[in-house]
Amino acid sequence: MSIVSSLSPRAVAAPESGIVELVNYARGREGLLPLWVGEGDLATPDFISRAAMDALAAGETFYTWQHGIPELRQALSDYYTRHFGTRLPVEHFYVTGSGMQAIQIAVQALTSPGDELIYLSPSWPNIAAALEIAGARSLSVELQFEGGKWAVDLGRIEAAITPKTKGIFINTPSNPTGWTATKQDLIDILALARRHDLWILADEIYARYYFAGGRAPSFLDVMDEDDKIIFVNSFSKNWSMTGWRVGWIVAPPEMGQVLENLIQYSTSGVAQFMQKGAVAALDQGDDFVAANIAKAARSRDILCDALVATNRVETLKPDGAIYAFLKIDGVADSRKAALDIVDKTGVGLAPGTAFGRGGELFLRACFLRDPAQVAIAAERLCDYILKL
């Protein structure tokens, strides 16, 4: 008997990331333009790093509050007042070791083995994996794709509901498609959840990356106080903190002890000096986030305009998030194409096969980068596409 065969079947069944496979294949190549993962090209700004370093130097290295230091929970409350127009007391906020851990904890809180959670596909693959590892079942409902645009079909969601369904995972603006729910979409999804007594697990990490201006519609705009909604989020994208692994949950205060216990028995909380950096991000980072969004908008236009001009790419400029999801004429195997593209052009793209049903024919490019670099990547990609 092999060592692996004696491990937990759920652990063994955890899939390899199709994105990481490409990254590992070509990481460190000279001249590489890495558009494959969801992060920008800027290091964390100094005002955030300095706050963390000052706290570290001051000896803030001891055990701390499992649910987050009071200063960070208050900063999160203030942030939501500024950007979401809602006053949520600090008891709604719980600090986690990344947005991924926020999802894991939410999944653990909502589901038991055998329960089901619906999500919209193509989707960031980690939600389905988190559910399956927890012993729950992930059920994908495909977004509709027509004329380069993505849309949700409420009828498909309702048809997927069974007696074992505990909730619906909604990521808007969406990774990887850029689909962004309208306020009416959210009203309709919430009405559906109420009708079937389901939870909504809302991933609004890209809410600020909304290219119509302001922020994207949020469930906070349409919900009542007693609605069963958990929000998960992260410091990664807005403040260039992907490597910090700090996130948060917004949830009803009645869940507080449950969430704190789940944090305790996983990571036992986030280091206090890192949380001080997160406080600085929230309190001082609005201008930095605005600059990141403006850069993403410029780079989105450069990349999408160039690709569409080839007449070989089906896509439109996404309404939100930081990704172009591309369907190239003649590409039937996106994994094979991604490997070929990085070999021949030095541009790293994520294969659509990594994002589940509906994504197989697509490639994802992250455009949260210097517009000059994105222009070079676009030129290389267009040259490759026109030679197919």
Side-chain angles (χ1 to χ4, degrees), residues 324-328 331 334 337-338 341 349-352 359 361-365:
F325 209 44
L326 318 169
K327 187 177 182 182
I328 302 172
V331 170
S334 62
I341 287 169
L349 302 178
L361 301 180
F362 292 81
L363 294 148
R364 191 195 72 176

Side-chain angles (χ1 to χ4, degrees), residues 41-236:
D41 56 345
L42 294 180
T44 303
D46 182 69
F47 69 90
I48 297 173
S49 298
R50 179 57 55 187
M53 288 189 288
D54 288 347
L56 182 60
E60 297 186 27
T61 58
F62 295 93
Y63 291 138
T64 188
W65 286 267
Q66 304 299 293
H67 53 213
I69 61 175
E71 300 99 309
L72 181 50
R73 299 178 86 198
Q74 184 61 57
L76 283 164
S77 177
D78 295 342
Y79 175 80
Y80 274 78
T81 299
R82 290 198 309 275
H83 294 289
F84 290 82
T86 183
R87 294 188 177 276
L88 294 173
V90 296
E91 291 78 15
H92 288 262
F93 297 95
Y94 307 87
V95 180
T96 61
S98 75
M100 184 64 239
Q101 192 196 27
I103 289 173
Q104 286 179 316
I105 287 174
V107 164
Q108 291 168 4
L110 297 184
T111 66
S112 299
D115 286 341
E116 298 171 351
L117 200 78
I118 293 168
Y119 69 98
L120 302 180
S121 181
S123 172
W124 184 52
N126 292 35
I127 176 61
L131 284 162
E132 300 292 339
I133 291 171
R137 185 183 177 203
S138 59
L139 293 178
S140 66
V141 171
E142 289 186 49
L143 291 165
Q144 295 177 295
F145 180 72
E146 186 174 347
K149 294 284 286 185
W150 297 87
V152 64
D153 184 336
L154 270 292
R156 291 186 181 185
I157 296 178
E158 189 152 27
I161 295 171
T162 76
K164 294 184 178 181
T165 304
K166 292 297 294 289
I168 309 169
F169 177 84
I170 301 292
N171 170 217
T172 174
S174 163
N175 172 11
T177 64
W179 168 74
T180 302
T182 65
K183 186 175 181 180
Q184 188 60 52
D185 287 334
L186 299 180
I187 290 171
D188 293 342
I189 292 168
L190 181 55
L192 177 65
R194 289 168 175 166
R195 192 158 63 247
H196 292 274
D197 192 27
L198 301 178
W199 279 91
I200 290 174
L201 180 51
D203 179 347
E204 297 185 350
I205 187 172
Y206 300 102
R208 301 284 302 281
Y209 288 93
Y210 182 56
F211 302 113
R215 62 154 174 85
S218 165
F219 279 107
L220 289 165
D221 301 327
V222 300
M223 67 182 289
D224 294 332
E225 185 176 349
D226 59 349
D227 279 319
K228 295 163 63 174
I229 303 179
I230 297 177
F231 297 85
V232 292
N233 216 310
S234 170
F235 285 87
S236 292

